[in-house]
Amino acid sequence: MADVLTMTDFPDYAQTNREHWNRHADWWVNPGRRSWATDDPTWGIWGLNNKTVPLLPDDMSGLDAIELGCGTAYVSAWMTRRGARVTGIDPSDRQQETARAFMAEHGLEIELIHGVAESVPRPDASFDFAISEYGAAIWADPYVWIPEAWRLLKPGGRLHFLGHSTLAMVCTPGYDGQTETPTSQTMQHDYFGLHRVDWTEPEDPSVEFNLPISEWFALFKATGFVIEEFLELQAPADAVGDQFGIPAHWARRYPSEQAWCLRKPD
């Protein structure tokens, strides 16, 4: 099976997002460098530690793991240092250029695939563990990538992922491109029917996905996953300013992010 998909194999929104991430790749070099330089995972836009948000086990010796939407691949690096054999997949070729530079700098081996989490060129039951932090978790259609993650996992395998909370998406203005407006304390968009969100910033469009909480549960049940943990994340008490349009004072009162830990039954 080929490791590289052509652009025509990408869903329409994945091509849009590939171009978005290629445009912004230079900005993510320094955050990627900082994350590659540490062995202690921190998660999400508020940098919560792995004890607060336990997405990675301390010991991953002998596990086959995949990062779905790996970007600069710092999560893949954390897993490699914990003993896993790691594959990362991402549609952005420029992000993968950065990942390869860090791999050479740190002397780590990670298999990188240029592709999308909705269609991973690997056989069924290839991995023990799958993870996504703001990769497939928000940039891929959950009705496609969640069943694909199920296919990729061995019986007993786990899928952990983190992204924007459903509440944050409903309270964020700017689906029409007015993205400078911060997250609101009032609801701006319909909760029911939430799925694809097209950000139509002039000259920089992108597409995200999220679901009502009940629909996440229904999707996991229909796919066959068991939910082991659902976390609604709160910004730390000392958080200040804003992160990607979400003010710290908002994120101390309401969950700006959510994380799921799922298991494929034996």
Side-chain angles (χ1 to χ4, degrees):
M1 228 181 272
D3 287 356
V4 178
L5 301 180
T6 67
M7 293 303 102
T8 56
D9 294 322
F10 284 33
D12 66 317
Y13 59 82
Q15 294 190 53
T16 298
N17 289 337
R18 170 182 172 269
E19 293 165 4
H20 169 83
W21 279 99
N22 280 346
R23 283 191 293 270
H24 293 273
D26 289 343
W27 189 92
W28 289 97
V29 171
N30 284 334
R33 178 174 288 112
R34 288 193 296 271
S35 294
W36 268 82
T38 180
D39 292 339
D40 297 321
T42 55
W43 300 110
I45 62 177
W46 306 108
L48 302 176
N49 63 46
N50 199 57
K51 291 182 179 178
T52 302
V53 187
L55 296 185
L56 284 185
D58 292 334
D59 185 2
M60 300 182 70
S61 298
L63 296 184
D64 293 302
I66 185 167
E67 184 181 1
L68 300 168
C70 63
T72 61
Y74 57 87
V75 175
S76 292
W78 293 335
M79 293 192 291
T80 302
R81 290 175 180 143
R82 283 165 163 71
R85 295 178 294 272
V86 181
T87 299
I89 187 167
D90 199 275
S92 169
D93 35 306
R94 291 205 60 213
Q95 288 277 73
Q96 290 204 336
E97 288 173 7
T98 302
R100 292 185 193 282
F102 288 143
M103 285 167 55
E105 179 181 337
H106 289 268
L108 295 183
E109 291 202 10
I110 299 164
E111 180 186 18
L112 294 180
I113 302 172
H114 183 227
V116 291
E118 296 92 328
S119 180
V120 179
R122 289 294 178 270
D124 296 356
S126 289
F127 300 99
D128 303 286
F129 188 85
I131 191 167
S132 178
E133 183 203 30
Y134 283 103
I138 69 167
W139 299 103
D141 188 338
Y143 288 112
V144 183
W145 83 264
I146 292 290
E148 176 69 348
W150 166 275
R151 182 189 72 80
L152 291 168
L153 286 171
K154 302 172 186 177
R158 284 173 165 78
L159 168 63
H160 294 178
F161 68 97
L162 179 153
H164 298 306
S165 71
T166 300
L167 181 61
M169 295 298 287
V170 170
C171 291
T172 298
Y175 290 13
D176 60 355
Q178 304 303 312
T179 53
E180 294 302 315
T181 307
T183 303
S184 172
Q185 293 191 31
T186 60
M187 298 209 177
Q188 304 292 308
H189 306 282
D190 291 348
Y191 181 86
F192 295 114
L194 178 64
H195 177 218
R196 173 171 170 157
V197 178
D198 287 86
W199 301 103
T200 54
E201 258 185 289
E203 300 182 4
D204 190 26
S206 59
V207 182
E208 292 186 37
F209 294 87
N210 213 316
L211 297 174
I213 297 299
S214 60
E215 293 188 26
W216 281 115
F217 276 88
L219 174 58
F220 301 147
K221 181 179 180 180
T223 305
F225 277 117
V226 173
I227 300 170
E228 295 195 320
E229 194 87 61
F230 170 53
L231 301 171
E232 295 180 296
L233 308 186
Q234 182 181 26
D238 60 355
V240 295
D242 70 86
Q243 293 291 336
F244 304 99
I246 301 179
H249 65 81
W250 191 98
R252 287 195 297 269
R253 298 183 64 194
Y254 312 107
S256 57
E257 300 173 292
Q258 59 195 33
W260 300 90
C261 297
L262 313 176
R263 177 175 54 84
K264 182 176 182 175
D266 294 326

